[in-house]
């Protein structure tokens, strides 16, 4: 995997803007370092006149915007270094070009020069700080180095390069390795029927068909989908008879039960199994149970993101992955339950506090009503206050023990509310983590050829 560094290039004292641009670009395109210029590629500019083109764009920027900032960044350089012996200069140059294109989103002209004068092949990518439209400049946003590193890592993984980055390349800017007709449910049922008409061979094929129809898939204990305009996911089990996951499995009928289990899978049960290196090997060689089927159905970038995520989290084995996925799911369920309990208690406190205040405010009226011998005339005149007093008094019968004061209830309310806020803050992060682990685990299971039957076998072997 390549290590990256983002460097802002400024004017040098005593040099003109053109001279500074030429200094940077000439060094990058040095024939002695780039196989006589064979390893130089460019986007939206000509390498032979790149410094003059950058200069003209900056003058046009000044004319369009009227801005002429002093000490401005004249260009940016990306240094991208590869593990010695891992990649050819030609592939390195192609990876550098793709990195620059994704990072700048094609809005800035750039050159990519691949140097072969060191043990490690490395790229010098220089892109213009002024965009192609000459009306904006690149903003070096917070954590831009990390963003650059993630893009570079993903591209490297897509090309089957190593997972672990060489540590010497670390630096501050380096990143290592109302009623609706029809309802949403009605629309989902209709789209399921459309997907079924295409005769999917498995439930996963059905989900892929729904995905192509614009539905977002959420995997977990209960699979759910969300279409355009929906705020919440819809679980299959909530769609009614004929559309639950079990019913759909029966409709599809062509699910191959245990077919993949007959194929020998990687020894992911071994505690010493290195998940990242094994996945890297599978991606690089294009081998492994279920790889061909998986590659046809799933976006390769998903697994690359999963591998990158595992590296960042320090995951090295399948057992660790399973444990973290399970732990985050359990924690999410616990927080969900706690938040519901806190909300229930807050509602109880509010109602009780309101009843105590109402009881106190209407007590004098009710006393006068009793003293009047429960006069019908008095009742008619003060019906609302008397009924409210009775309702408040009846609610106290549900309280066991001494009735708390309003001050005590206020204190408890603040305490429970603080707990709810803290739980909810953690809930949002845990929910995100849970979804990330579950999606990543699903993608990894696919490439390793691990299906439900194999997981059951794994569980049985652990319990023997």
């Amino acid at each position: 995997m390549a290590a990256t560094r983002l460097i802002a290039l400024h004017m040098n004292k005593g040099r003109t803007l053109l001279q500074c641009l030429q200094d940077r670009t000439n060094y990058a395109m040095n024939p002695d370092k780039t196989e006589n210029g064979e390893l130089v590629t460019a986007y939206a500019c000509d390498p032979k006149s790149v410094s003059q083109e950058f200069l003209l764009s900056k003058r046009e920027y000044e004319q369009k915007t009227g801005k002429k900032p002093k000490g401005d960044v004249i260009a940016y350089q990306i240094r991208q270094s590869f593990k010695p012996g891992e990649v050819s200069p030609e592939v390195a140059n192609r990876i550098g070009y793709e990195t620059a294109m994704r990072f700048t989103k094609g809005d800035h002209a750039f050159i990519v020069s691949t140097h072969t004068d060191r043990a490690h092949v490395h790229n010098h990518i220089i892109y213009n700080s002024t965009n192609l439209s000459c009306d904006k400049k690149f903003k070096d946003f917070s954590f831009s180095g990390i963003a650059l590193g993630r893009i570079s890592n993903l591209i490297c993984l897509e090309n089957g390069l190593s997972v672990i980055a060489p540590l010497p390349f670390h630096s501050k800017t380096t990143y290592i390795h109302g009623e609706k007709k029809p309802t949403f449910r009605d629309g989902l049922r209709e789209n399921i029927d459309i997907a079924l008409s295409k005769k999917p061979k498995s439930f996963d094929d059905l989900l892929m068909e729904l995905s192509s129809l614009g539905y977002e898939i959420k995997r977990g204990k209960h699979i759910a989908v969300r279409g355009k305009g929906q705020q919440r996911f819809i679980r299959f089990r909530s769609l009614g008879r004929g559309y639950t996951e079990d019913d759909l499995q029966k409709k599809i009928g062509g699910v191959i039960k245990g077919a993949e289990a007959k194929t020998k899978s990687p020894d992911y049960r071994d505690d010493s199994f290195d998940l990242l290196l094994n996945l890297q090997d599978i991606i690089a060689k294009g081998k492994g149970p279920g790889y061909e089927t998986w590659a046809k159905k799933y976006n390769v970038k998903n697994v690359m993101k999963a591998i990158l995520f595992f590296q960042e989290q320090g995951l090295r084995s399948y057992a660790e992955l399973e444990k973290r996925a399970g732990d985050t799911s359990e924690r999410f369920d616990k927080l969900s339950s706690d938040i519901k309990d806190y909300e229930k208690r807050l509602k109880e406190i509010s109602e009780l506090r309101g009843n105590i205040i109402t009881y106190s405010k209407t007590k004098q009226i009710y006393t006068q009503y009793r003293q009047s011998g429960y006069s019908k005339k008095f009742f008619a005149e003060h019906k609302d206050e008397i009924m409210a007093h009775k309702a408040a008094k009846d609610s106290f019968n549900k309280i066991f023990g001494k009735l708390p004061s309003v001050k005590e209830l206020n204190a408890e309310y603040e305490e429970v509310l603080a707990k709810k806020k803290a739980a909810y803050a953690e809930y949002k992060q845990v929910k995100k983590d849970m979804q990330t682990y579950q999606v990543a685990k699903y993608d990894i299971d696919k490439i390793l050829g691990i299906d439900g039957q194999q997981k059951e076998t794994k569980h049985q072997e652990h319990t023997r």
Side-chain angles (χ1 to χ4, degrees):
M1 182 178 290
T4 56
R5 185 180 180 188
L6 180 63
I7 306 170
L9 305 179
H10 297 270
M11 288 274 292
N12 289 336
K13 193 173 182 179
R15 305 283 287 175
T16 65
L17 175 57
L18 180 60
Q19 288 174 332
C20 290
L21 288 170
Q22 287 176 334
D23 290 343
R24 273 38 174 244
T25 56
N26 288 344
Y27 175 82
M29 296 186 295
N30 187 336
D32 296 334
K33 300 174 183 287
T34 60
E35 304 294 332
N36 292 318
E38 293 294 323
L39 297 175
V40 177
T41 54
Y43 168 74
C45 63
D46 186 338
K48 296 179 181 178
S49 58
V50 60
S51 55
Q52 289 88 348
E53 291 181 44
F54 281 16
L55 178 63
L56 289 174
S57 71
K58 297 182 185 306
R59 289 178 176 172
E60 186 175 344
Y61 170 83
E62 293 176 6
Q63 292 175 352
K64 282 186 176 182
T65 65
K67 298 178 181 178
K68 192 175 181 180
K70 295 182 179 180
D72 195 19
V73 177
I74 62 174
Y76 288 88
Q77 180 181 180
I78 297 174
R79 291 183 187 173
Q80 188 178 40
S81 305
F82 299 87
K83 185 178 178 180
E86 185 181 45
V87 63
S88 68
E90 293 75 18
V91 172
N93 187 271
R94 177 169 54 81
I95 291 174
Y97 188 95
E98 181 65 20
T99 301
M101 185 64 75
R102 290 196 198 179
F103 187 63
T104 65
K105 300 179 181 179
D107 292 335
H108 297 259
F110 61 78
I111 59 170
V112 181
S113 300
T114 303
H115 288 194
T116 58
D117 59 325
R118 300 288 180 89
H120 61 280
V121 175
H122 58 283
N123 290 326
H124 287 258
I125 304 168
I126 299 179
Y127 65 89
N128 195 355
S129 59
T130 305
N131 68 356
L132 296 176
S133 301
C134 301
D135 56 0
K136 291 182 181 179
K137 290 202 170 185
F138 181 87
K139 292 185 179 180
D140 191 2
F141 53 91
S142 299
F143 304 110
S144 56
I146 293 178
L148 170 64
R150 287 184 64 87
I151 292 172
S152 173
N153 288 349
L154 286 173
I155 296 171
C156 288
L157 285 169
E158 290 167 14
N159 285 272
L161 301 186
S162 65
V163 171
I164 301 174
L167 293 179
F169 295 121
H170 272 296
S171 73
K172 290 182 180 180
T173 52
T174 300
Y175 185 78
I176 305 297
H177 329 22
E179 181 182 0
K180 301 173 182 62
K181 297 181 181 180
T183 65
F184 286 125
R185 282 180 169 77
D186 292 333
L188 177 55
R189 294 187 191 97
E190 182 179 346
N191 282 314
I192 289 175
D193 291 337
I194 294 174
L196 288 171
S197 70
K198 297 182 180 180
K199 298 181 180 180
K201 295 181 179 180
S202 68
F203 189 71
D204 281 336
D205 286 343
L206 175 66
L207 294 179
M208 291 300 294
E209 291 292 344
L210 288 175
S211 180
S212 68
L213 292 172
Y215 282 92
E216 179 182 356
I217 312 297
K218 182 174 75 171
R219 298 180 183 275
K221 185 177 180 180
H222 301 289
I223 297 178
V225 299
R226 179 169 64 186
K228 295 179 180 179
Q230 289 180 223
Q231 292 184 347
R232 298 183 178 182
F233 284 87
I234 297 175
R235 293 178 178 178
F236 283 97
R237 66 174 188 170
S238 70
L239 294 176
R241 186 176 180 181
Y243 292 93
T244 65
E245 187 174 342
D246 290 339
D247 290 339
L248 291 172
Q249 291 276 18
K250 293 176 182 178
K251 282 185 179 182
I252 293 169
V255 178
I256 303 174
K257 299 180 179 179
E260 291 183 5
K262 296 178 182 179
T263 306
K264 185 178 179 182
S265 63
D267 189 16
Y268 63 88
R269 300 175 183 85
D270 187 353
D271 291 337
S272 62
F273 168 70
D274 193 318
L275 181 63
L276 291 181
L277 295 182
N278 187 271
L279 288 170
Q280 169 214 330
D281 186 61
I282 291 174
I283 294 294
K285 296 179 180 178
K287 298 179 181 179
Y291 178 85
E292 185 175 351
T293 302
W294 169 83
K296 290 179 180 178
K297 294 181 181 178
Y298 299 93
N299 190 336
V300 177
K301 292 180 182 179
N302 289 343
V303 165
M304 304 312 165
K305 291 178 181 178
I307 294 174
L308 185 58
F309 173 74
F310 294 157
Q311 182 194 10
E312 293 170 351
Q313 298 299 316
L315 284 167
R316 305 301 298 186
S317 71
Y318 190 87
E320 288 181 273
L321 170 58
E322 280 192 314
K323 185 177 184 303
R324 293 202 191 182
D327 288 347
T328 53
S329 180
E330 289 178 7
R331 184 57 182 163
F332 175 78
D333 291 341
K334 177 65 168 60
L335 287 170
S336 298
S337 178
D338 288 345
I339 290 172
K340 289 179 181 179
D341 290 340
Y342 293 145
E343 290 175 343
K344 180 181 178 182
R345 184 53 188 158
L346 289 173
K347 183 179 179 181
E348 291 173 348
I349 294 172
S350 295
E351 291 177 352
L352 180 56
R353 182 170 56 186
N355 287 333
I356 292 174
I357 294 173
T358 298
Y359 181 86
S360 178
K361 288 182 176 180
T362 58
K363 184 177 181 180
Q364 185 176 359
I365 295 294
Y366 192 78
T367 300
Q368 293 174 1
Y369 174 56
R370 290 175 56 190
Q371 291 173 350
S372 70
Y374 301 102
S375 168
K376 292 181 179 181
K377 181 180 178 181
F378 189 88
F379 178 82
E381 293 173 352
H382 303 280
K383 180 180 178 180
D384 292 342
E385 293 92 332
I386 294 171
M387 295 302 295
H389 186 86
K390 285 184 175 182
K393 186 176 181 181
D394 290 342
S395 69
F396 299 155
N397 295 330
K398 301 176 184 178
I399 306 299
F400 295 98
K402 184 182 177 182
L403 191 68
S405 65
V406 173
K407 183 179 180 180
E408 291 172 335
L409 289 174
N410 287 339
E412 183 184 357
Y413 188 92
E414 292 299 323
E415 181 182 351
V416 176
L417 182 60
K419 290 181 178 179
K420 179 195 169 184
K421 288 181 179 179
Y424 189 70
E426 184 183 357
Y427 167 90
K428 291 190 290 186
Q429 183 60 49
V430 170
K431 181 181 180 181
K432 180 180 178 181
D433 292 343
M434 178 188 70
Q435 292 174 340
T436 301
Y437 278 114
Q438 288 177 344
V439 170
K441 183 176 178 297
Y442 175 82
D443 288 327
I444 294 304
D445 283 350
K446 285 294 179 182
I447 196 172
L448 292 179
I450 302 172
D451 59 16
Q453 184 171 341
Q454 288 174 319
K455 292 176 186 177
E456 181 62 26
T457 302
K458 174 188 172 185
H459 176 72
Q460 291 173 358
E461 290 185 0
H462 276 299
T463 54
R464 286 177 184 173

